[in-house]
Amino acid sequence: MSEELNRDYRVCEEIGRGRFGVVYRCYSLETGDSLAVKSVDKSLIADDSVDRQCIYNEAKVMQFISPNPNVVQIYDVYEDDSHLHIVIELCNDSDLFHRIANRVLSEPEAAGVMVPLMAAIAHCHRRGVAHRDVKPENILFDEWGRLKLADFGSAEYFREGEMMTGVVGTPYYVAPEVLSGREYSEKVDVWSAGVILYIMLAGIPPFYGDSAADIFEAVLRANLRFPPRIFHSVSPAAKDLLRRMLCKDVSRRFSAEQVLRHKWMTTT
């Protein structure tokens, strides 16, 4: 571990592991606060790789958009010859993927997720940052159950009216304009959040297939359906919001701010 890191924090047990590093529980020697430190092994990443750009980009973006109550906060970054250490807020109460696996949420339960999620996305967009990989695995909860948007490795800066390029994201959640190779806006995050809302209410994704290629084809068609067998008890307001978030025509798709003002979000 870095000498500077050990000067400021006591690193404790491992609580997670990824492709390039390990996440440990730690606490601040100054305040005693429990936090987490993501330690990335630089030897596992090629100097000119996209992965290296993502890892360094994540720390910069998180510093730029912090603090926000619904975004994982970053506290410190340390680097030595072998590792990059990123000290972040501790979110050890599962993620949304595990919370919604094999269960359908009621509309009030889904709204309890969507309101803070869209608040986090709207905050990022106001700061000129598109997350570009909004999915349940990147939506965490702290020990008090507060939602925190995480993992900004694929995030991109943008100026108002400026478009982005590059195929990033995850099957099921990626927007059709990303897959088509066209330029796209920050509204790709609204699409991804719309997919999450659909899954929470239906228990299945809106666009699916047996392989990644089949999923991408379904996303590109963007034929949004509400099977009566599944959606018979879902309110018209929820379906209206889904249509506005999962709208293939980007000019008609809601912005994050518009989603927050929608009737379903404010009254459910």
Side-chain angles (χ1 to χ4, degrees), residues 166-213:
V167 178
V168 295
T170 302
Y172 291 127
Y173 305 99
V174 65
E177 62 268 28
V178 176
L179 294 178
S180 69
R182 304 195 309 269
E183 293 182 328
Y184 53 84
S185 73
E186 71 278 9
K187 286 186 179 181
V188 296
D189 291 341
V190 175
W191 176 280
S192 300
V195 174
I196 291 171
L197 175 57
Y198 190 105
I199 291 172
M200 289 192 294
L201 295 176
I204 59 171
F207 315 108
Y208 54 89
D210 294 330
S211 66

Side-chain angles (χ1 to χ4, degrees), residues 79-237:
E79 186 171 10
D80 53 36
D81 291 340
S82 61
H83 286 78
L84 177 71
H85 307 284
I86 306 173
V87 180
I88 57 176
E89 190 173 1
L90 178 64
C91 295
N92 58 347
D93 192 28
S94 78
D95 58 36
L96 184 62
F97 179 83
H98 288 95
R99 288 195 173 198
I100 65 175
N102 303 315
R103 67 180 292 251
V104 174
L105 272 59
S106 69
E107 290 190 41
E109 287 176 317
V113 171
M114 289 301 295
V115 170
L117 172 59
M118 293 312 303
I121 292 172
H123 168 74
C124 294
H125 291 180
R126 285 193 295 269
R127 297 303 306 271
V129 170
H131 186 284
R132 302 201 301 173
D133 196 19
V134 176
K135 59 182 177 180
E137 294 91 332
N138 291 338
I139 299 168
L140 310 180
F141 296 89
D142 68 12
E143 60 183 312
W144 294 281
R146 294 178 299 201
L147 180 147
K148 304 282 181 173
L149 183 60
D151 197 344
F152 287 81
S154 297
E156 181 68 271
Y157 298 100
F158 67 90
R159 294 187 179 90
E160 189 172 351
E162 187 177 82
M163 306 297 276
M164 291 165 273
T165 58
V167 178
V168 295
T170 302
Y172 291 127
Y173 305 99
V174 65
E177 62 268 28
V178 176
L179 294 178
S180 69
R182 304 195 309 269
E183 293 182 328
Y184 53 84
S185 73
E186 71 278 9
K187 286 186 179 181
V188 296
D189 291 341
V190 175
W191 176 280
S192 300
V195 174
I196 291 171
L197 175 57
Y198 190 105
I199 291 172
M200 289 192 294
L201 295 176
I204 59 171
F207 315 108
Y208 54 89
D210 294 330
S211 66
D214 291 340
I215 295 166
F216 291 155
E217 284 184 20
V219 170
L220 284 167
R221 287 194 300 271
N223 184 13
L224 181 62
R225 294 175 176 170
F226 300 114
R229 178 177 55 85
I230 297 172
F231 278 86
H232 66 278
S233 62
V234 174
S235 70

Side-chain angles (χ1 to χ4, degrees), residues 16-42:
R17 184 173 288 265
R19 271 196 305 161
F20 302 115
V22 180
V23 180
Y24 300 94
R25 187 189 306 272
C26 70
Y27 66 86
S28 167
L29 293 175
E30 179 181 355
T31 67
D33 290 341
S34 292
L35 302 167
V37 56
K38 180 189 289 189
S39 294
V40 179
D41 186 343
K42 296 194 291 187

Side-chain angles (χ1 to χ4, degrees), residues 46-63:
D47 287 341
D48 59 349
S49 71
V50 172
D51 292 317
R52 174 171 286 264
Q53 294 172 11
C54 287
I55 288 164
Y56 281 90
N57 185 59
E58 178 175 22
K60 291 177 182 176
V61 169
M62 291 181 72
Q63 287 173 319

